Amino acid sequence: QKHIMEVDSPLEASPRPIRRLDQLLGEGIDIPLTMFSMWCVYHMAWYFAIQLFFRRIPQFKKRLQDLNIPYESEVEWYARCVSTEHAVGALILALLWHLEVLGKDFVLTHTAGYFVFDLFVVLTHLQDFRKETATFIHHGVGVIASWLGLLIAAPTWLIKYYLLTEASTIFVNLRWNFYVLTNNREGRTALFVGLLMAVSFFLVRTLPLPYVWARGAVWVWWDTSSGEQPYSTWVKVVLTCVVSVFCSLNAFWSFKIIQALVRAFRPGPVKKQSRKSSASEANP
């Protein structure tokens, strides 16, 4: 009995290893993959349900067809409705994770499933979305970042910030939907909706950019706060690349929003914009 205790104690005292890709190839991969598949089906179901609902409204369908909306297609309207659904859901799930009601796997597979759904929509309507390179890259990075949060010991603060940025997506979509339905970019209401989008974007994406990039892409090379062991070199490289791309895209969209604000408040005659260029000024 003494011999058995001497053999078993080190095993019992050993810290729980950080989940890695080689560990997920075993039994551990079943749970996140099941949840991921569930969320993919969930978001796809939302897409078809929204499509079915709006197609039953003849006036709405005719409105979308009559207007010269971006991509000359209805698909972006439906995709943005699902985008808003995901943004609201991501914020709620992130709060529940913060309160320790849900686990990280449940939250991140929800977001990973959405980005896979969105990439599927883009790829199946490539002719419509062929010029939205930044959006395509952003959602590809979203899939990678979501799974990195599951596969490696990614910083918790970075994952929570990544989910928090979805708050601005709600107002970005609100602005786009308003322009499509009203065909109006002038007046107080249009300005108010545009300012809501700009303020939310700057608060959660633009202002934190220097801190997020410095801590997530630079300081990570000296940070040893990942928990039970320091970050490995390949984790540092991956985090640096993902965070740098993520911050670069947000900086690009911030610049586009600033351009739109300058045009909106510049005195003198306002140059009429095409619907496509106006809607693509903020398209994360």
Side-chain angles (χ1 to χ4, degrees), residues 236-257:
K236 294 177 183 178
V237 171
V238 171
L239 285 174
T240 299
C241 294
V242 171
V243 172
S244 296
V245 173
F246 185 72
C247 290
S248 297
L249 289 171
N250 284 330
F252 168 75
W253 280 312
S254 299
F255 175 73
K256 299 287 284 184
I257 293 174

Side-chain angles (χ1 to χ4, degrees), residues 270-281:
V270 179
K271 182 180 178 181
K272 187 176 180 180
Q273 291 180 280
S274 67
R275 182 177 299 274
K276 183 171 183 176
S277 62
S278 177
S280 61
E281 281 164 0

Side-chain angles (χ1 to χ4, degrees), residues 64-224:
L64 289 182
Q65 291 175 340
D66 290 344
L67 291 173
N68 183 29
I69 64 173
Y71 321 120
E72 300 177 351
S73 171
E74 302 173 33
V75 64
E76 187 173 11
W77 176 274
Y78 307 129
R80 281 184 180 270
C81 288
V82 181
S83 172
T84 302
E85 166 269 316
H86 162 260
V88 174
L91 293 174
I92 295 174
L93 293 177
L95 176 61
L96 294 176
W97 174 36
H98 180 72
L99 297 175
E100 299 183 352
V101 177
L102 293 175
K104 180 178 69 173
D105 289 4
F106 195 86
V107 179
L108 288 180
T109 49
H110 169 263
T111 294
Y114 163 73
F115 281 123
V116 168
F117 148 79
D118 200 70
L119 286 175
F120 170 79
V121 173
V122 171
L123 291 174
T124 53
H125 299 82
L126 201 56
Q127 184 68 17
D128 298 326
F129 291 91
R130 63 186 183 279
K131 294 186 179 181
E132 290 301 325
T133 306
T135 301
F136 187 81
I137 295 175
H138 172 255
H139 288 185
V141 173
V143 176
I144 297 173
S146 300
W147 276 102
L148 282 177
L150 294 168
L151 299 176
I152 67 174
T156 300
W157 72 266
L158 183 61
I159 299 174
K160 291 183 177 180
Y161 167 73
Y162 167 69
L163 295 170
L164 179 63
T165 58
E166 288 300 312
S168 65
T169 301
I170 299 172
F171 297 98
V172 169
N173 291 336
L174 175 66
R175 172 181 179 265
W176 189 91
N177 293 339
F178 175 82
Y179 286 173
V180 168
L181 287 180
T182 64
N183 195 21
N184 177 25
R185 297 176 187 79
E186 300 179 359
R188 293 182 178 180
T189 305
L191 181 61
F192 176 73
V193 173
L195 285 176
L196 275 179
M197 183 271 295
V199 170
S200 65
F201 198 95
F202 283 127
L203 285 178
V204 300
R205 293 182 186 252
T206 307
L207 290 180
L209 268 181
Y211 173 81
V212 172
W213 182 80
R215 186 177 177 184
V218 179
W219 178 243
V220 69
W221 289 89
W222 294 273
D223 187 13
T224 58

